[in-house]
């Protein structure tokens, strides 16, 4: 898979995570078994039970512990690996020390060789998470419990790449690797639960039962985990009200007010963000930084948060959502709504009468182009005419339109991840998804390389903030809002946290303190 396809695939995960109700299956019925079972209602069927082939790998964390667990607050916690870190300088060699005594579901011990084999399988198998793994050149088993990963070039995101969110960190056992097709009907991980095929109906109900080989039995808070799929928000809400499920995931904003009135708990996370990214800043009006800044000043983000998202969003005018690597509070309100300033900037650039902006949006991220219509209305106030096109086809068709050179900007929904991932996979690097003209901004590339080679978390953060400040100041796109996803939780469930900063919330963890539990 080439670099462009990898970037497109990973960016597409944001679409899948945030807005895939159309992929859902019919509703499920039946009792969940009270406090012994945690039943979770999803808006989609699971694309695959193979953790390498599933683009939403955290859904499979019940059966496959990651090498490094990322808690809902964003912290990194020992799991299958108890220690990790870069070796030498340049962020090109990374070593992990594995947990002693951990076993796969069939009792096979976890070893460095088993981890190497699982990672090699991931790297050789076409999948939507390949880009997140980084430029891996080799994986070696160094002794019984040490794994060494070498990268072709500097890669500062090794830790996050090996968590439950990107597939490569979910380790498959020797039995499963010997017959990958078996992974669609059975599980083979070092996990708290194993798939119960007899109580699983593909596309409808997936049942996982607690195993006896897990290294931390006290972390297992339920005897069963069920994933149930429902085609609509109303079906999931009805299932929650009737007790068929305890967690209705990612309820659309129009439903949350009704749900909250019925006394359900809310688990909120800022998991995706909307940006109108400029596709070509080499020619035309968008070649002028003043024009690009004018467009950003013309966006009334607070009104969009209030009126369009019903308050379930946060205004964003920088290129990293809050709480993630690269975010800086100093960049908040960099483009406070100011149409007078926007008009002055347009005039200074020679566009007193405005110009036409061809904006592409997508039915999955922006149903009906409704947010695109809001932007069209707001930009009209400074004389900019927006010609809006809504892609109603497939993701490959969207990619083709992005690369066609027809459009000036694309309204897109990106996963809330660190700025390094966003920059390399989606907006900065040549051939990244929202940089189809392959514009290689020398300053942005220099700052990105500085972040890649920085030594230590604080140095990487400082370098990413500099990159964020440059992208924001240069107005290479129009960040609009961070969208708030909401899970509605039954009151008989004890939540370890009320919010999360990860791409999705995780309901279990390697210790009891990270897990949902029955009250």
């Amino acid at each position: 898979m080439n670099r462009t396809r990898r970037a497109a695939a990973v960016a597409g995960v944001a679409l899948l995570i945030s807005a895939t109700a159309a992929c859902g299956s019919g509703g499920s019925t039946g009792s969940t078994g009270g406090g012994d079972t945690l039943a979770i209602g999803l808006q989609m069927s699971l694309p695959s039970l193979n953790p390498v082939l599933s683009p939403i790998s955290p859904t499979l964390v019940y059966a496959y512990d990651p090498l490094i667990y990322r808690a809902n607050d964003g912290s990194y916690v020992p799991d299958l690996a108890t220690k990790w870190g870069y070796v030498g300088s340049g962020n090109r060699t990374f070593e992990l020390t594995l947990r002693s005594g951990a076993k796969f579901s069939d009792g096979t011990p976890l070893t460095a060789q088993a981890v190497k084999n699982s990672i090699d399988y991931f790297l050789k198998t076409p999948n939507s998470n390949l880009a997140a793994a980084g430029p891996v050149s080799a994986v070696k088993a160094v002794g019984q419990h040490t794994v060494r990963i070498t990268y072709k070039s500097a890669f500062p995101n090794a830790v996050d790449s090996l968590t439950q969110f990107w597939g490569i960190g979910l380790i498959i056992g020797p039995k499963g690797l010997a017959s990958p097709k078996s992974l669609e009907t059975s599980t083979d991980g070092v996990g708290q639960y194993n798939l119960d095929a007899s109580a699983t109906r593909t596309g409808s109900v997936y049942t996982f039962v607690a195993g006896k080989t897990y290294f931390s039995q006290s972390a297992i808070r339920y005897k069963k985990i069920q994933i149930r799929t429902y085609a609509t928000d109303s079906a999931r809400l009805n299932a929650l009200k009737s007790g068929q499920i305890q967690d209705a995931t990612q309820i659309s904003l129009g439903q949350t007010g009704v749900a909250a009135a019925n006394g359900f708990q809310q688990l909120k996370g800022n998991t995706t963000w909307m940006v109108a990214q400029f596709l070509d800043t080499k020619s035309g009006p968008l070649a002028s930084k003043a024009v690009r800044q004018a467009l950003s000043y013309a966006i009334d983000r607070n009104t969009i948060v209030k009126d369009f998202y019903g308050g379930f969003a946060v205004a964003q005018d920088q290129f990293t959502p809050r709480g993630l690597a690269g975010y800086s509070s100093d960049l908040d309100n960099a483009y406070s709504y100011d149409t007078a300033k926007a008009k002055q900037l347009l005039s200074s650039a020679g566009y007193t009468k405005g110009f036409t902006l061809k904006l592409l949006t997508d039915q999955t991220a922006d149903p009906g182009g409704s947010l695109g219509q809001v932007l069209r209305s707001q930009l009209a106030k400074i004389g900019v005419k927006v010609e809006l096109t809504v892609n109603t086809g497939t993701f490959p068709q969207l990619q083709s339109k992005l690369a066609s050179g027809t459009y000036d900007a694309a309204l897109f929904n990106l996963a809330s991840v660190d700025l390094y991932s966003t920059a390399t996979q989606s907006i900065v690097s040549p051939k990244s998804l929202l940089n189809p003209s392959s514009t290689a901004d020398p300053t942005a590339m220099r700052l990105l390389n500085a972040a890649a080679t920085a030594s230590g978390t604080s140095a990487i953060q400082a370098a990413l903030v500099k990159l964020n400040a440059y992208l924001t100041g240069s107005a290479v796109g129009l960040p609009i809002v961070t969208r708030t996803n909401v899970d509605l939780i039954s009151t008989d469930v004890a939540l370890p946290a009320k919010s999360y900063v990860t791409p999705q919330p995780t309901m279990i963890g390697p210790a009891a303190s990270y897990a949902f539990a029955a009250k």
Side-chain angles (χ1 to χ4, degrees):
M1 181 178 286
N2 64 35
R3 182 177 177 183
T4 303
R5 289 173 61 200
R6 289 183 184 183
V10 172
V13 172
L15 296 175
L16 184 62
I17 289 175
S18 64
T20 49
C23 298
S25 300
S28 308
T29 59
S31 172
T32 62
D36 288 342
T37 302
L38 174 66
I40 302 164
L42 294 188
Q43 59 182 338
M44 70 192 81
S45 59
L46 300 187
S48 174
L49 289 175
N50 182 331
V52 169
L53 300 180
S54 176
I56 48 173
S57 59
T59 308
L60 301 176
V61 73
Y62 309 108
Y64 296 92
D65 270 36
L67 288 166
I68 302 170
Y69 177 83
R70 191 176 184 197
N72 290 332
D73 65 1
S75 60
Y76 298 99
V77 177
D79 203 313
L80 300 189
T82 56
K83 294 190 297 183
W84 56 80
Y86 289 100
V87 177
S89 60
N91 297 340
R92 294 187 60 176
T93 303
F94 191 78
E95 283 192 357
L96 305 103
T97 300
L98 301 181
R99 181 181 298 275
S100 178
K103 297 178 181 180
F104 292 99
S105 57
D106 65 351
T108 301
L110 175 73
T111 64
Q113 186 63 44
V115 171
K116 169 189 161 49
N117 292 343
S118 180
I119 293 177
D120 284 345
Y121 168 67
F122 174 94
L123 295 172
K124 294 175 183 177
T125 304
N127 68 83
S128 62
N129 287 321
L130 275 171
V136 177
S137 64
V139 183
K140 292 184 178 181
V142 184
Q144 186 76 357
H145 292 102
T146 302
V147 177
R148 179 181 299 156
I149 303 175
T150 304
Y151 298 95
K152 299 173 186 176
S153 57
F155 182 61
N157 274 11
V159 174
D160 194 71
S161 75
L162 298 170
T163 64
Q164 66 267 36
F165 293 101
W166 306 115
I168 186 174
L170 300 183
I171 304 304
I172 301 170
K175 181 180 178 181
L177 292 179
S179 179
K181 288 185 178 180
S182 70
L183 297 173
E184 293 295 349
T185 55
S186 63
T187 52
D188 186 24
V190 181
Q192 296 182 21
Y193 298 86
N194 302 315
L195 182 72
D196 181 354
S198 66
T200 294
R201 298 192 298 276
T202 301
S204 180
V205 180
Y206 304 83
T207 301
F208 298 86
V209 295
K212 298 180 180 180
T213 62
Y214 191 64
F215 58 83
S216 178
Q217 288 291 305
S218 63
I220 302 176
R221 306 304 300 272
Y222 289 93
K223 293 181 179 179
K224 293 182 181 180
I225 299 283
Q226 275 194 344
I227 296 174
R228 294 171 165 244
T229 64
Y230 299 87
T232 65
D233 279 346
S234 60
R236 277 182 291 140
L237 281 170
N238 288 336
L240 182 64
K241 292 175 182 178
S242 66
Q244 293 178 36
I245 61 175
Q246 288 77 49
D247 179 355
T249 65
Q250 298 180 356
I251 295 294
S252 65
L253 304 179
Q255 296 283 351
T256 52
V258 174
N262 283 282
F264 298 120
Q265 301 180 86
Q266 292 188 10
L267 178 62
K268 298 180 180 180
N270 298 331
T271 58
T272 58
W273 59 288
M274 299 298 297
V275 58
Q277 189 67 19
F278 300 133
L279 300 178
D280 184 2
T281 58
K282 294 179 180 179
S283 59
L286 296 179
S288 168
K289 182 170 75 171
V291 168
R292 301 193 303 268
Q293 290 176 330
L295 297 180
S296 203
Y297 279 115
I299 302 301
D300 188 352
R301 295 170 176 83
N302 290 329
T303 294
I304 291 174
V305 167
K306 179 182 177 182
D307 295 343
F308 187 81
Y309 287 102
F312 288 90
V314 178
Q316 180 178 328
D317 47 10
Q318 59 178 289
F319 281 81
T320 311
R322 296 179 185 180
L324 298 172
Y327 167 78
S328 173
S329 59
D330 293 339
L331 296 174
D332 283 340
N333 302 314
Y335 294 99
S336 297
Y337 181 53
D338 191 336
T339 55
K341 189 167 187 175
K343 291 178 180 179
Q344 185 275 323
L345 285 167
L346 284 181
S347 179
S348 70
Y351 294 95
T352 304
K353 296 183 179 181
F355 61 94
T356 297
L357 181 78
K358 295 182 178 180
L359 178 65
L360 174 67
T361 188
D362 183 76
Q363 176 67 21
T364 303
D366 182 24
S370 53
L371 181 57
Q373 294 171 33
V374 172
L375 298 184
R376 179 169 60 190
S377 175
Q378 292 191 354
L379 292 178
K381 295 177 182 179
I382 63 169
V384 174
K385 179 183 178 181
V386 173
E387 292 184 358
L388 183 64
T389 299
V390 181
N391 176 64
T392 57
T394 64
F395 189 73
Q397 289 172 324
L398 174 63
Q399 291 176 253
S400 178
K401 289 176 181 176
L402 287 170
S404 68
T406 302
Y407 304 97
D408 302 306
L411 182 57
F412 213 80
N413 189 29
L414 294 178
S416 288
V417 294
D418 62 279
L419 181 56
Y420 182 82
S421 297
T422 298
T424 55
Q425 298 165 19
S426 300
I427 62 174
V428 172
S429 297
K431 297 296 184 182
S432 56
L433 179 65
L434 298 181
N435 186 9
S437 63
S438 297
T439 302
D441 183 320
T443 301
M445 294 304 296
R446 175 178 57 79
L447 293 171
L448 184 60
N449 184 64
T453 56
S455 180
T457 302
S458 60
I460 293 172
Q461 166 67 4
L464 289 175
V465 167
K466 289 181 180 179
L467 174 60
N468 190 6
Y470 175 75
L471 297 175
T472 303
S474 299
V476 298
L478 305 177
I480 302 167
V481 296
T482 306
R483 307 199 316 179
T484 303
N485 281 338
V486 179
D487 278 20
L488 297 173
I489 315 293
S490 170
T491 55
D492 60 9
V493 175
L495 304 181
K498 300 295 184 181
S499 63
Y500 59 96
V501 299
T502 53
Q504 288 180 254
T506 304
M507 288 69 172
I508 67 171
S513 58
Y514 300 111
F516 283 23
K519 289 184 178 177

